[in-house]
Amino acid sequence: MAREGHVVRPDSILTLSRFVEPFMRDVPAATRAGIDRIVARLLEDSPPEPFAAIRRARGLRRTLVSLMEEAASAGATPPDIGDVADTPAAKGFQDLYGGVAARVTLRAERLRIAARRIGQAARPFEHFFLHGFYSFTPAEIGILRALGRITVTLPDWAGSRETQESLDLLPLRRFSYEEPSVNPDRVLFRAAGEQQEAEEIARRIVRLAGEGHRFREIGVILRSERPYAPLLGTTFARFGIPAHFYFQSTLDRQPLIRYYGALMDAAASGWDYESLVRAINARLSGAGGTTAGDELDFELREKLPAAGLPEKLAAWRGFEHWRTARLTPALWMEELRKLKEVAALPAVGDGVTHEQAAMWRGLASSLMAWEGALEETCAIAGPAPLELAGFREHLNEVLGATPFDDSGQRRNVVHVMDVYEARQWQLPIVFVCGLVERGFPQYHSEHPILNDAQRMKLRRAGIVLRTSAERQREEEFLFDIATTRGTDRLYLSHPRTSSKGEEVLGSFLLTRYLRKHAAREEPAVKALPGGVRSARPSKTPEGIEDATLLKGVRRRLATLSPTGIETFLQCPFQFFGRQTLKLTGPPESPRERLDFLLQGDILHRTLAEAHGSPLFVEEIFSRLFWEICRENAVPETARTEKIRLELIANLQRFLESPPLAGGAVVGVEKSFDLPLKPGLRVRGKIDRVVEVPQRGLVVIDFKYSTRERIRDRVKSHQKGELVQGGLYLWAAERLFRAPAAGMLYCGLRGEVAWGGWHLPIFQWDEIGESYDREELARITAKALEASESVAGRIAQGEVAPRPADEKKCAWCEFRDGCRIESGAAQRAKGAAS
């Protein structure tokens, strides 16, 4: 209204709930958490037969509470439900609904009380406008009747028919209003997946901002909050796009409350390390995001499964008694207030960014809301003493049902909203995303407790509870709303695959829409993430330029390994993270520690140690397997035993396979550290060297890989992407002072698989490929040349993300930090100029 030039008092525009609240403030509201606790107690004490087996399931309680809220809003009393309850589930629901209604005043009754008081009181305004509603419940119609002079806007759709019939009984002057028709430029684009779709939207917004459009002229409409709102939130933040999300958050999602919850879980578990690391990593713990915190995190993860409070966290020792304490809710409330003492709350200052100020506001609001949540929990939990887990169960319901406004106050932002909110908006540019079947439209089945037939019986009594068919028809209405909010340009999009990688169908509603309206398809847009940030550097650094840093890099990397060289050939940035900075990720969880790398190490060590004692290979394997599992804290689970049996089977297959005819082993686990050129050395370890009389040395490298992976490795060598084979040939010749006759890879996973190159050798036709000496020499020369080139590029400070095979980026541990799209877009821009 301000943009339209109207001057209004802020308190004259408010929600219906906020308007009626003063008229029923003395009538305590039945909160969702409170109703949930009553339902939980009723289910525990005297569960109806249909719900007895699953009475403790949180999903059941949520379904029952939602249905009670729906019934209460429609004006249905427990006796009304009893009139149509012809199934055991409906009868069980009636009993529970009656138990709740006897203990609290439901919303419909509070609204009836408010309507009576509004009719008796002096009205604060002469005329009331009600906008943005889709329909009204009977209790809300009573409020409208009490208000007097009103103007109501309702959409012209089947879902508001009963409301319109009720309004016909009021002395209202009728008038029709049609929104101006819009004919925007319609653009359709598809993306590989949901994340890519979010990035495509962000890139287009960056481009629109570059064309002069203000962010507040742009909106994104979603069918529902998930999965797109979180995706868009993180993506917009990465691209530097300010946005306002019109979704009601809850208190349990706030950082401070999540930290408190993690600390409570850790204390209640006796400081179990798995719970403890979650508390440590919380930003407000004081350790989260710090070097000391990361070191402690890694230290604890390595010891999993374990428990106990480390000395570094002595400040938390005052909570140790929580594990065994049994206190009244009032005492638990006092105990949990102490959590504020161990929260690293920031000092508030001036001259900070909007984001920082918003974070401070959120923390202050969280602290106040936390106090209110504790008091509400204390009220609904009753007076009896209970353990922390019991109090937490009540508290979690309160936190999950407590709304929390974490939106900022900026005006120039992109508006992200669901389709219900969108009815009140029209913007020059609108994106409608996630247009896939079961995404938009959603599909609705009959309610499992109160079915459609029972709902139709209630309707004949004047109580409107929507059926599944009505909900399904509403999807078409919502789609029409979404596609008429953009006045100048409308972007329609959907992913080709789901988050699980499965193909998805585009929305049938979209197909129908495109039959009526022409839309142009648009290819992917290339734009720099963060392109709207004024502080973004104009040029992404291509490498290390500081002379002192370069000198340190050259000194540290004067010796390279074949694996390191291959890492650089795949991507300089990956090498920079692994070899130059020596960054390591957090230790794997106990279940994931026995990975393929560790399995391969077990087989390597077994084959090396058993070379001189082939008769004791199974004993050697068993000893090494359990030693390595203990060293890496691998738990003895069914998965561990399954892997042990698989490794034994693979080992036996190798031992039973035909030996290399005519070859004699001359080296096992042979280490080398040799100069390649002045200032550069290459070091590594050769699994096995075999000498074939009158031919020379054959290098064997064991890989815990399948036949397909061995074949791919040989092809990568031929393309010049790998150097290990050539460097091992070069090293073997120098270590044993004999000519090289071949390089073979032996895959030990599944069937025994051989691949590689060797001189023509009798009975070796099925093992690798036959090469002459010149071809073997070319493999060695190619590897040496690539190694020298890599050393030179490292010495020059090259660190830019340039993956040779972008498919491998999906497995790179640094993929979230390299921003490969930034470098690609910048290079393309440079090439164009």
Short mmCIF file of all heavy atoms in Angstrom, two decimals, residues 188-246:
data_model
loop_
_atom_site.label_atom_id
_atom_site.label_comp_id
_atom_site.label_asym_id
_atom_site.label_seq_id
_atom_site.Cartn_x
_atom_site.Cartn_y
_atom_site.Cartn_z
N LEU A 188 10.73 -21.49 -20.86
CA LEU A 188 10.81 -22.83 -20.29
C LEU A 188 12.25 -23.29 -20.30
O LEU A 188 12.95 -23.14 -21.29
CB LEU A 188 9.95 -23.80 -21.11
CG LEU A 188 10.03 -25.28 -20.73
CD1 LEU A 188 9.42 -25.53 -19.36
CD2 LEU A 188 9.35 -26.15 -21.78
N PHE A 189 12.72 -23.83 -19.15
CA PHE A 189 14.04 -24.45 -19.15
C PHE A 189 14.02 -25.68 -18.25
O PHE A 189 13.24 -25.77 -17.31
CB PHE A 189 15.14 -23.46 -18.72
CG PHE A 189 15.04 -22.98 -17.31
CD1 PHE A 189 15.66 -23.66 -16.27
CD2 PHE A 189 14.36 -21.80 -17.01
CE1 PHE A 189 15.58 -23.21 -14.97
CE2 PHE A 189 14.28 -21.34 -15.71
CZ PHE A 189 14.90 -22.04 -14.68
N ARG A 190 14.87 -26.62 -18.60
CA ARG A 190 15.00 -27.87 -17.85
C ARG A 190 16.41 -27.98 -17.32
O ARG A 190 17.35 -27.47 -17.92
CB ARG A 190 14.66 -29.07 -18.74
CG ARG A 190 13.24 -29.04 -19.31
CD ARG A 190 13.00 -30.21 -20.25
NE ARG A 190 11.63 -30.25 -20.74
CZ ARG A 190 11.20 -29.61 -21.82
NH1 ARG A 190 12.06 -28.87 -22.52
NH2 ARG A 190 9.94 -29.70 -22.19
N ALA A 191 16.56 -28.67 -16.20
CA ALA A 191 17.87 -28.85 -15.58
C ALA A 191 18.08 -30.32 -15.27
O ALA A 191 17.13 -31.11 -15.23
CB ALA A 191 17.99 -28.01 -14.30
N ALA A 192 19.34 -30.70 -15.06
CA ALA A 192 19.66 -32.11 -14.80
C ALA A 192 19.01 -32.61 -13.51
O ALA A 192 18.49 -33.71 -13.45
CB ALA A 192 21.16 -32.29 -14.75
N GLY A 193 19.04 -31.78 -12.46
CA GLY A 193 18.48 -32.18 -11.17
C GLY A 193 17.98 -30.96 -10.41
O GLY A 193 18.03 -29.82 -10.91
N GLU A 194 17.52 -31.18 -9.19
CA GLU A 194 16.96 -30.09 -8.40
C GLU A 194 18.01 -29.04 -8.06
O GLU A 194 17.76 -27.83 -8.13
CB GLU A 194 16.34 -30.66 -7.12
CG GLU A 194 15.12 -31.54 -7.40
CD GLU A 194 14.69 -32.34 -6.18
OE1 GLU A 194 15.43 -32.33 -5.17
OE2 GLU A 194 13.62 -32.99 -6.24
N GLN A 195 19.23 -29.49 -7.67
CA GLN A 195 20.29 -28.54 -7.36
C GLN A 195 20.66 -27.72 -8.57
O GLN A 195 20.83 -26.49 -8.49
CB GLN A 195 21.51 -29.29 -6.84
CG GLN A 195 22.71 -28.40 -6.53
CD GLN A 195 22.43 -27.40 -5.43
OE1 GLN A 195 22.14 -27.79 -4.31
NE2 GLN A 195 22.51 -26.11 -5.73
N GLN A 196 20.76 -28.36 -9.73
CA GLN A 196 21.09 -27.63 -10.95
C GLN A 196 19.98 -26.66 -11.34
O GLN A 196 20.25 -25.58 -11.85
CB GLN A 196 21.35 -28.62 -12.10
CG GLN A 196 22.62 -29.43 -11.96
CD GLN A 196 22.52 -30.53 -10.92
OE1 GLN A 196 21.42 -30.93 -10.53
NE2 GLN A 196 23.66 -31.03 -10.48
N GLU A 197 18.74 -27.05 -11.05
CA GLU A 197 17.62 -26.15 -11.34
C GLU A 197 17.71 -24.90 -10.47
O GLU A 197 17.49 -23.78 -10.96
CB GLU A 197 16.29 -26.87 -11.09
CG GLU A 197 15.07 -26.05 -11.48
CD GLU A 197 13.78 -26.79 -11.17
OE1 GLU A 197 13.82 -27.87 -10.54
OE2 GLU A 197 12.71 -26.26 -11.55
N ALA A 198 18.04 -25.07 -9.19
CA ALA A 198 18.21 -23.91 -8.31
C ALA A 198 19.33 -23.01 -8.81
O ALA A 198 19.22 -21.78 -8.79
CB ALA A 198 18.50 -24.39 -6.88
N GLU A 199 20.42 -23.61 -9.29
CA GLU A 199 21.54 -22.81 -9.81
C GLU A 199 21.15 -22.08 -11.10
O GLU A 199 21.56 -20.94 -11.32
CB GLU A 199 22.74 -23.71 -10.04
CG GLU A 199 23.36 -24.23 -8.75
CD GLU A 199 24.50 -25.20 -8.99
OE1 GLU A 199 24.75 -25.54 -10.18
OE2 GLU A 199 25.16 -25.61 -8.00
N GLU A 200 20.35 -22.74 -11.95
CA GLU A 200 19.90 -22.08 -13.18
C GLU A 200 19.03 -20.87 -12.85
O GLU A 200 19.12 -19.82 -13.50
CB GLU A 200 19.12 -23.07 -14.04
CG GLU A 200 19.98 -24.06 -14.79
CD GLU A 200 20.83 -23.37 -15.85
OE1 GLU A 200 20.29 -22.60 -16.65
OE2 GLU A 200 22.05 -23.58 -15.85
N ILE A 201 18.16 -21.00 -11.84
CA ILE A 201 17.35 -19.85 -11.42
C ILE A 201 18.25 -18.73 -10.93
O ILE A 201 18.07 -17.56 -11.28
CB ILE A 201 16.35 -20.29 -10.33
CG1 ILE A 201 15.31 -21.24 -10.91
CG2 ILE A 201 15.66 -19.07 -9.70
CD1 ILE A 201 14.42 -21.90 -9.87
N ALA A 202 19.25 -19.08 -10.11
CA ALA A 202 20.16 -18.07 -9.57
C ALA A 202 20.92 -17.37 -10.71
O ALA A 202 21.11 -16.15 -10.68
CB ALA A 202 21.13 -18.71 -8.59
N ARG A 203 21.38 -18.13 -11.69
CA ARG A 203 22.12 -17.52 -12.80
C ARG A 203 21.25 -16.54 -13.57
O ARG A 203 21.71 -15.46 -13.98
CB ARG A 203 22.65 -18.61 -13.73
CG ARG A 203 23.76 -19.45 -13.12
CD ARG A 203 24.38 -20.36 -14.17
NE ARG A 203 25.44 -21.15 -13.58
CZ ARG A 203 25.34 -22.41 -13.21
NH1 ARG A 203 24.18 -23.05 -13.37
NH2 ARG A 203 26.36 -23.06 -12.68
N ARG A 204 19.99 -16.89 -13.76
CA ARG A 204 19.10 -15.99 -14.48
C ARG A 204 18.83 -14.72 -13.67
O ARG A 204 18.71 -13.64 -14.23
CB ARG A 204 17.80 -16.71 -14.83
CG ARG A 204 17.98 -17.65 -16.03
CD ARG A 204 16.82 -18.65 -16.16
NE ARG A 204 16.97 -19.40 -17.40
CZ ARG A 204 17.77 -20.42 -17.57
NH1 ARG A 204 18.53 -20.83 -16.55
NH2 ARG A 204 17.85 -21.04 -18.73
N ILE A 205 18.73 -14.87 -12.36
CA ILE A 205 18.52 -13.68 -11.52
C ILE A 205 19.76 -12.78 -11.58
O ILE A 205 19.65 -11.55 -11.63
CB ILE A 205 18.19 -14.11 -10.08
CG1 ILE A 205 16.82 -14.78 -10.04
CG2 ILE A 205 18.22 -12.91 -9.13
CD1 ILE A 205 16.44 -15.36 -8.69
N VAL A 206 20.95 -13.40 -11.55
CA VAL A 206 22.18 -12.61 -11.69
C VAL A 206 22.16 -11.86 -13.01
O VAL A 206 22.50 -10.67 -13.08
CB VAL A 206 23.41 -13.53 -11.61
CG1 VAL A 206 24.68 -12.77 -12.01
CG2 VAL A 206 23.57 -14.09 -10.20
N ARG A 207 21.75 -12.53 -14.06
CA ARG A 207 21.69 -11.88 -15.38
C ARG A 207 20.66 -10.75 -15.39
O ARG A 207 20.91 -9.67 -15.93
CB ARG A 207 21.34 -12.92 -16.45
CG ARG A 207 21.36 -12.36 -17.88
CD ARG A 207 21.07 -13.46 -18.88
NE ARG A 207 19.71 -13.98 -18.73
CZ ARG A 207 19.21 -14.95 -19.48
NH1 ARG A 207 19.96 -15.53 -20.41
NH2 ARG A 207 17.97 -15.38 -19.29
N LEU A 208 19.50 -11.00 -14.79
CA LEU A 208 18.47 -9.96 -14.73
C LEU A 208 18.94 -8.75 -13.96
O LEU A 208 18.68 -7.60 -14.33
CB LEU A 208 17.20 -10.53 -14.10
CG LEU A 208 16.43 -11.57 -14.94
CD1 LEU A 208 15.41 -12.30 -14.08
CD2 LEU A 208 15.75 -10.88 -16.13
N ALA A 209 19.66 -9.00 -12.84
CA ALA A 209 20.20 -7.88 -12.06
C ALA A 209 21.20 -7.09 -12.89
O ALA A 209 21.25 -5.85 -12.81
CB ALA A 209 20.87 -8.40 -10.78
N GLY A 210 21.99 -7.80 -13.70
CA GLY A 210 22.93 -7.11 -14.57
C GLY A 210 22.25 -6.28 -15.64
O GLY A 210 22.81 -5.29 -16.14
N GLU A 211 21.01 -6.65 -15.99
CA GLU A 211 20.25 -5.89 -16.99
C GLU A 211 19.52 -4.70 -16.38
O GLU A 211 18.86 -3.94 -17.11
CB GLU A 211 19.24 -6.82 -17.67
CG GLU A 211 19.89 -7.91 -18.52
CD GLU A 211 18.88 -8.94 -19.00
OE1 GLU A 211 17.68 -8.79 -18.63
OE2 GLU A 211 19.26 -9.87 -19.73
N GLY A 212 19.61 -4.55 -15.06
CA GLY A 212 19.01 -3.39 -14.42
C GLY A 212 17.74 -3.67 -13.64
O GLY A 212 17.15 -2.74 -13.07
N HIS A 213 17.30 -4.91 -13.58
CA HIS A 213 16.10 -5.23 -12.80
C HIS A 213 16.43 -5.25 -11.31
O HIS A 213 17.47 -5.75 -10.90
CB HIS A 213 15.55 -6.60 -13.21
CG HIS A 213 15.04 -6.65 -14.62
ND1 HIS A 213 13.77 -6.21 -14.96
CD2 HIS A 213 15.63 -7.06 -15.76
CE1 HIS A 213 13.61 -6.37 -16.26
NE2 HIS A 213 14.71 -6.88 -16.78
N ARG A 214 15.52 -4.72 -10.51
CA ARG A 214 15.72 -4.76 -9.06
C ARG A 214 15.27 -6.11 -8.52
O ARG A 214 14.36 -6.74 -9.06
CB ARG A 214 14.92 -3.63 -8.40
CG ARG A 214 15.48 -2.24 -8.69
CD ARG A 214 14.57 -1.16 -8.17
NE ARG A 214 13.28 -1.13 -8.87
CZ ARG A 214 12.32 -0.26 -8.66
NH1 ARG A 214 12.48 0.68 -7.74
NH2 ARG A 214 11.19 -0.32 -9.34
N PHE A 215 15.92 -6.52 -7.45
CA PHE A 215 15.59 -7.82 -6.89
C PHE A 215 14.13 -7.88 -6.45
O PHE A 215 13.49 -8.93 -6.56
CB PHE A 215 16.51 -8.14 -5.70
CG PHE A 215 17.92 -8.42 -6.10
CD1 PHE A 215 18.96 -7.64 -5.61
CD2 PHE A 215 18.21 -9.46 -6.96
CE1 PHE A 215 20.27 -7.90 -5.98
CE2 PHE A 215 19.52 -9.72 -7.33
CZ PHE A 215 20.55 -8.93 -6.84
N ARG A 216 13.59 -6.79 -5.95
CA ARG A 216 12.23 -6.81 -5.44
C ARG A 216 11.19 -6.96 -6.55
O ARG A 216 10.01 -7.13 -6.28
CB ARG A 216 11.94 -5.57 -4.62
CG ARG A 216 11.83 -4.28 -5.40
CD ARG A 216 11.67 -3.13 -4.45
NE ARG A 216 11.31 -1.89 -5.13
CZ ARG A 216 11.27 -0.71 -4.55
NH1 ARG A 216 11.59 -0.61 -3.27
NH2 ARG A 216 10.92 0.37 -5.21
N GLU A 217 11.63 -6.91 -7.80
CA GLU A 217 10.74 -7.12 -8.93
C GLU A 217 10.66 -8.60 -9.31
O GLU A 217 9.96 -8.97 -10.26
CB GLU A 217 11.21 -6.33 -10.14
CG GLU A 217 11.22 -4.82 -9.94
CD GLU A 217 11.85 -4.08 -11.11
OE1 GLU A 217 12.52 -4.75 -11.94
OE2 GLU A 217 11.66 -2.87 -11.20
N ILE A 218 11.37 -9.44 -8.58
CA ILE A 218 11.51 -10.85 -8.95
C ILE A 218 10.92 -11.73 -7.85
O ILE A 218 11.15 -11.49 -6.66
CB ILE A 218 12.99 -11.22 -9.17
CG1 ILE A 218 13.61 -10.31 -10.24
CG2 ILE A 218 13.14 -12.69 -9.56
CD1 ILE A 218 15.11 -10.46 -10.37
N GLY A 219 10.17 -12.74 -8.23
CA GLY A 219 9.61 -13.69 -7.28
C GLY A 219 9.84 -15.12 -7.73
O GLY A 219 9.94 -15.39 -8.94
N VAL A 220 9.93 -16.03 -6.77
CA VAL A 220 10.04 -17.47 -7.04
C VAL A 220 8.88 -18.15 -6.31
O VAL A 220 8.74 -17.97 -5.09
CB VAL A 220 11.38 -18.05 -6.57
CG1 VAL A 220 11.47 -19.54 -6.93
CG2 VAL A 220 12.55 -17.29 -7.18
N ILE A 221 8.06 -18.90 -7.06
CA ILE A 221 6.88 -19.54 -6.48
C ILE A 221 7.10 -21.04 -6.41
O ILE A 221 7.49 -21.68 -7.40
CB ILE A 221 5.63 -19.22 -7.32
CG1 ILE A 221 5.38 -17.71 -7.33
CG2 ILE A 221 4.41 -19.96 -6.77
CD1 ILE A 221 4.21 -17.28 -8.20
N LEU A 222 6.86 -21.61 -5.23
CA LEU A 222 7.03 -23.04 -4.99
C LEU A 222 5.68 -23.65 -4.62
O LEU A 222 4.83 -22.97 -4.03
CB LEU A 222 8.01 -23.28 -3.84
CG LEU A 222 9.31 -22.48 -3.84
CD1 LEU A 222 10.10 -22.80 -2.59
CD2 LEU A 222 10.12 -22.77 -5.08
N ARG A 223 5.50 -24.90 -4.96
CA ARG A 223 4.26 -25.56 -4.53
C ARG A 223 4.26 -25.72 -3.02
O ARG A 223 3.22 -25.54 -2.37
CB ARG A 223 4.15 -26.94 -5.22
CG ARG A 223 3.02 -27.82 -4.69
CD ARG A 223 1.67 -27.14 -4.86
NE ARG A 223 0.60 -27.90 -4.26
CZ ARG A 223 0.24 -27.84 -2.99
NH1 ARG A 223 0.87 -27.02 -2.14
NH2 ARG A 223 -0.77 -28.55 -2.53
N SER A 224 5.39 -26.05 -2.45
CA SER A 224 5.52 -26.18 -1.00
C SER A 224 6.96 -25.88 -0.62
O SER A 224 7.84 -25.78 -1.49
CB SER A 224 5.11 -27.58 -0.53
OG SER A 224 5.86 -28.56 -1.20
N GLU A 225 7.19 -25.74 0.65
CA GLU A 225 8.51 -25.30 1.12
C GLU A 225 9.61 -26.26 0.72
O GLU A 225 10.69 -25.84 0.29
CB GLU A 225 8.49 -25.13 2.64
CG GLU A 225 9.81 -24.68 3.22
CD GLU A 225 9.76 -24.50 4.72
OE1 GLU A 225 8.70 -24.81 5.32
OE2 GLU A 225 10.77 -24.06 5.31
N ARG A 226 9.40 -27.55 0.85
CA ARG A 226 10.44 -28.53 0.56
C ARG A 226 10.13 -29.27 -0.73
O ARG A 226 8.95 -29.51 -1.03
CB ARG A 226 10.60 -29.52 1.73
CG ARG A 226 11.09 -28.80 2.98
CD ARG A 226 11.44 -29.78 4.10
NE ARG A 226 11.92 -29.06 5.25
CZ ARG A 226 13.20 -28.71 5.44
NH1 ARG A 226 14.10 -29.04 4.53
NH2 ARG A 226 13.59 -28.05 6.51
N PRO A 227 11.16 -29.57 -1.53
CA PRO A 227 12.59 -29.49 -1.21
C PRO A 227 13.28 -28.21 -1.66
O PRO A 227 14.46 -28.02 -1.41
CB PRO A 227 13.15 -30.67 -2.02
CG PRO A 227 12.31 -30.70 -3.24
CD PRO A 227 10.92 -30.30 -2.80
N TYR A 228 12.54 -27.28 -2.31
CA TYR A 228 13.23 -26.21 -3.01
C TYR A 228 13.66 -25.03 -2.14
O TYR A 228 14.66 -24.39 -2.44
CB TYR A 228 12.36 -25.70 -4.18
CG TYR A 228 12.46 -26.58 -5.39
CD1 TYR A 228 11.57 -27.63 -5.57
CD2 TYR A 228 13.46 -26.41 -6.32
CE1 TYR A 228 11.66 -28.47 -6.67
CE2 TYR A 228 13.58 -27.23 -7.43
CZ TYR A 228 12.67 -28.26 -7.59
OH TYR A 228 12.79 -29.08 -8.68
N ALA A 229 12.92 -24.74 -1.07
CA ALA A 229 13.29 -23.56 -0.27
C ALA A 229 14.70 -23.69 0.32
O ALA A 229 15.50 -22.76 0.22
CB ALA A 229 12.25 -23.33 0.84
N PRO A 230 15.06 -24.83 0.96
CA PRO A 230 16.45 -24.94 1.45
C PRO A 230 17.48 -24.88 0.32
O PRO A 230 18.54 -24.26 0.47
CB PRO A 230 16.46 -26.31 2.14
CG PRO A 230 15.04 -26.60 2.46
CD PRO A 230 14.25 -25.99 1.36
N LEU A 231 17.18 -25.51 -0.82
CA LEU A 231 18.11 -25.48 -1.96
C LEU A 231 18.32 -24.05 -2.45
O LEU A 231 19.45 -23.61 -2.69
CB LEU A 231 17.55 -26.33 -3.10
CG LEU A 231 17.84 -27.83 -3.07
CD1 LEU A 231 17.14 -28.50 -4.23
CD2 LEU A 231 19.33 -28.10 -3.12
N LEU A 232 17.22 -23.33 -2.60
CA LEU A 232 17.33 -21.95 -3.09
C LEU A 232 18.02 -21.07 -2.06
O LEU A 232 18.77 -20.15 -2.42
CB LEU A 232 15.93 -21.40 -3.41
CG LEU A 232 15.25 -22.01 -4.63
CD1 LEU A 232 13.80 -21.57 -4.71
CD2 LEU A 232 15.98 -21.60 -5.91
N GLY A 233 17.79 -21.33 -0.78
CA GLY A 233 18.44 -20.52 0.26
C GLY A 233 19.94 -20.61 0.19
O GLY A 233 20.65 -19.59 0.18
N THR A 234 20.48 -21.82 0.13
CA THR A 234 21.94 -21.97 0.07
C THR A 234 22.50 -21.51 -1.26
O THR A 234 23.58 -20.92 -1.32
CB THR A 234 22.33 -23.45 0.30
OG1 THR A 234 21.63 -24.27 -0.65
CG2 THR A 234 21.94 -23.89 1.71
N THR A 235 21.76 -21.77 -2.35
CA THR A 235 22.24 -21.36 -3.67
C THR A 235 22.26 -19.84 -3.80
O THR A 235 23.23 -19.26 -4.31
CB THR A 235 21.36 -21.98 -4.77
OG1 THR A 235 21.35 -23.41 -4.61
CG2 THR A 235 21.90 -21.64 -6.15
N PHE A 236 21.19 -19.18 -3.37
CA PHE A 236 21.15 -17.71 -3.45
C PHE A 236 22.26 -17.09 -2.60
O PHE A 236 22.87 -16.10 -2.98
CB PHE A 236 19.79 -17.19 -2.99
CG PHE A 236 18.70 -17.36 -4.02
CD1 PHE A 236 18.94 -17.99 -5.23
CD2 PHE A 236 17.41 -16.89 -3.78
CE1 PHE A 236 17.94 -18.15 -6.18
CE2 PHE A 236 16.40 -17.04 -4.72
CZ PHE A 236 16.66 -17.68 -5.91
N ALA A 237 22.52 -17.69 -1.44
CA ALA A 237 23.60 -17.16 -0.59
C ALA A 237 24.94 -17.28 -1.30
O ALA A 237 25.77 -16.37 -1.25
CB ALA A 237 23.63 -17.90 0.75
N ARG A 238 25.15 -18.39 -1.98
CA ARG A 238 26.41 -18.60 -2.69
C ARG A 238 26.55 -17.63 -3.87
O ARG A 238 27.64 -17.18 -4.19
CB ARG A 238 26.50 -20.05 -3.17
CG ARG A 238 27.74 -20.36 -3.96
CD ARG A 238 28.03 -21.86 -3.95
NE ARG A 238 27.03 -22.65 -4.61
CZ ARG A 238 27.04 -22.93 -5.91
NH1 ARG A 238 28.01 -22.46 -6.68
NH2 ARG A 238 26.11 -23.68 -6.45
N PHE A 239 25.44 -17.31 -4.52
CA PHE A 239 25.48 -16.40 -5.66
C PHE A 239 25.38 -14.93 -5.23
O PHE A 239 25.44 -14.04 -6.06
CB PHE A 239 24.33 -16.72 -6.62
CG PHE A 239 24.61 -17.86 -7.55
CD1 PHE A 239 24.71 -19.15 -7.09
CD2 PHE A 239 24.76 -17.64 -8.91
CE1 PHE A 239 24.96 -20.21 -7.94
CE2 PHE A 239 25.00 -18.69 -9.78
CZ PHE A 239 25.12 -19.98 -9.30
N GLY A 240 25.23 -14.69 -3.93
CA GLY A 240 25.14 -13.31 -3.45
C GLY A 240 23.82 -12.65 -3.74
O GLY A 240 23.75 -11.42 -3.91
N ILE A 241 22.73 -13.40 -3.78
CA ILE A 241 21.40 -12.87 -4.11
C ILE A 241 20.62 -12.68 -2.82
O ILE A 241 20.34 -13.66 -2.11
CB ILE A 241 20.65 -13.83 -5.05
CG1 ILE A 241 21.41 -13.98 -6.37
CG2 ILE A 241 19.24 -13.33 -5.31
CD1 ILE A 241 20.86 -15.06 -7.27
N PRO A 242 20.23 -11.45 -2.46
CA PRO A 242 19.41 -11.25 -1.25
C PRO A 242 17.99 -11.77 -1.49
O PRO A 242 17.42 -11.56 -2.57
CB PRO A 242 19.42 -9.73 -1.06
CG PRO A 242 19.64 -9.18 -2.43
CD PRO A 242 20.50 -10.17 -3.16
N ALA A 243 17.43 -12.45 -0.51
CA ALA A 243 16.10 -13.04 -0.70
C ALA A 243 15.34 -13.05 0.61
O ALA A 243 15.92 -13.08 1.69
CB ALA A 243 16.23 -14.48 -1.23
N HIS A 244 14.03 -12.98 0.49
CA HIS A 244 13.12 -13.10 1.63
C HIS A 244 12.28 -14.35 1.40
O HIS A 244 11.61 -14.47 0.37
CB HIS A 244 12.22 -11.87 1.75
CG HIS A 244 11.33 -11.88 2.95
ND1 HIS A 244 11.40 -10.94 3.94
CD2 HIS A 244 10.35 -12.73 3.33
CE1 HIS A 244 10.50 -11.19 4.87
NE2 HIS A 244 9.84 -12.29 4.52
N PHE A 245 12.30 -15.27 2.35
CA PHE A 245 11.55 -16.52 2.23
C PHE A 245 10.28 -16.42 3.06
O PHE A 245 10.36 -16.28 4.28
CB PHE A 245 12.42 -17.70 2.66
CG PHE A 245 13.51 -18.04 1.67
CD1 PHE A 245 14.66 -17.28 1.60
CD2 PHE A 245 13.35 -19.10 0.79
CE1 PHE A 245 15.65 -17.58 0.68
CE2 PHE A 245 14.34 -19.41 -0.13
CZ PHE A 245 15.49 -18.64 -0.19
N TYR A 246 9.14 -16.51 2.40
CA TYR A 246 7.85 -16.34 3.07
C TYR A 246 7.34 -17.69 3.57
O TYR A 246 6.28 -18.17 3.18
CB TYR A 246 6.84 -15.69 2.12
CG TYR A 246 7.20 -14.28 1.76
CD1 TYR A 246 8.14 -14.01 0.77
CD2 TYR A 246 6.63 -13.19 2.42
CE1 TYR A 246 8.49 -12.72 0.43
CE2 TYR A 246 6.97 -11.89 2.10
CZ TYR A 246 7.92 -11.66 1.11
OH TYR A 246 8.25 -10.37 0.79
#
